Amino acid sequence: MSGAAPSWSSVVEHALRRAQDACLLVALQCRRLKRTETGESHLAVRLWADVQMLMVALRQLRRSVELAALSPALQDELVRALAEFDGPLPDLWRMRSVEEHFEAHPPLEADAWDGCIFTWADGSLNVDEAQKAAERLLATMIGVRTANPGTMPSTG
């Protein structure tokens, strides 16, 4: 195995594949959250699991774009895109942190779901806005990569 660092094109390509997968997962989780199951005995558990997976997918998408933003050719535009992604999701990172580091927080039992917005841990997550933000971020990443051919793998 070579000790050479990967090229920016391979890093960006890897990040893009991860971002595309994460964006698909965001869409899947948003669809699942919008679905109502009458008579489902474990609806609260399914809802909580779907919200958790949505938060993970949004975080994976963001981390993938952060990785691509390490490329000097893409950095400025992707850093701006990340800020735009964060705008409609102001509570997401804190909510994810509270869940991930539950031992450091007092018990939080109450949550609410109105069919679009999940409220918990003194924050809220609008799944429609989350999906739109994810799609915009991925589209920006693809556009920026395409506009910077030096970040694409060579074909020959």
Side-chain angles (χ1 to χ4, degrees):
M1 181 169 179
S2 169
S7 67
W8 280 122
S9 63
S10 65
V11 170
V12 170
E13 197 62 28
H14 172 71
L16 178 59
R17 281 193 306 273
R18 295 295 306 247
Q20 289 169 323
D21 289 347
C23 201
L24 288 171
L25 187 52
V26 167
L28 171 68
Q29 292 310 124
C30 288
R31 279 193 310 274
R32 284 179 53 88
L33 283 162
K34 293 291 191 166
R35 201 174 66 213
T36 55
E37 303 283 330
T38 56
E40 187 173 344
S41 61
H42 300 291
L43 182 61
V45 173
R46 184 184 67 79
L47 172 67
W48 184 243
D50 288 339
V51 168
Q52 289 294 313
M53 199 64 205
L54 175 60
M55 289 192 293
V56 168
L58 289 165
R59 181 70 184 137
Q60 287 176 345
L61 172 60
R62 191 180 199 292
R63 289 179 60 211
S64 297
V65 177
E66 287 172 346
L67 177 61
L70 295 175
S71 168
L74 309 182
Q75 188 172 34
D76 291 344
E77 290 180 77
L78 290 182
V79 167
R80 266 192 303 280
L82 286 166
E84 290 172 12
F85 174 75
D86 292 340
L89 308 171
D91 301 325
L92 175 63
W93 314 122
R94 186 175 40 76
M95 291 170 72
R96 179 71 185 137
S97 180
V98 167
E99 175 54 23
E100 194 168 327
H101 305 287
F102 63 88
E103 73 283 357
H105 300 278
L108 299 167
E109 297 296 326
D111 58 45
W113 170 247
D114 71 1
C116 181
I117 299 172
F118 182 77
T119 305
W120 176 76
D122 295 324
S124 63
L125 176 62
N126 181 316
V127 299
D128 291 336
E129 290 300 318
Q131 185 168 5
K132 289 175 193 171
E135 290 168 354
R136 281 191 306 267
L137 184 57
L138 180 61
T140 298
M141 184 181 188
I142 291 169
V144 168
R145 177 183 152 266
T146 302
N148 291 275
T151 63
M152 292 192 265
S154 61
T155 56

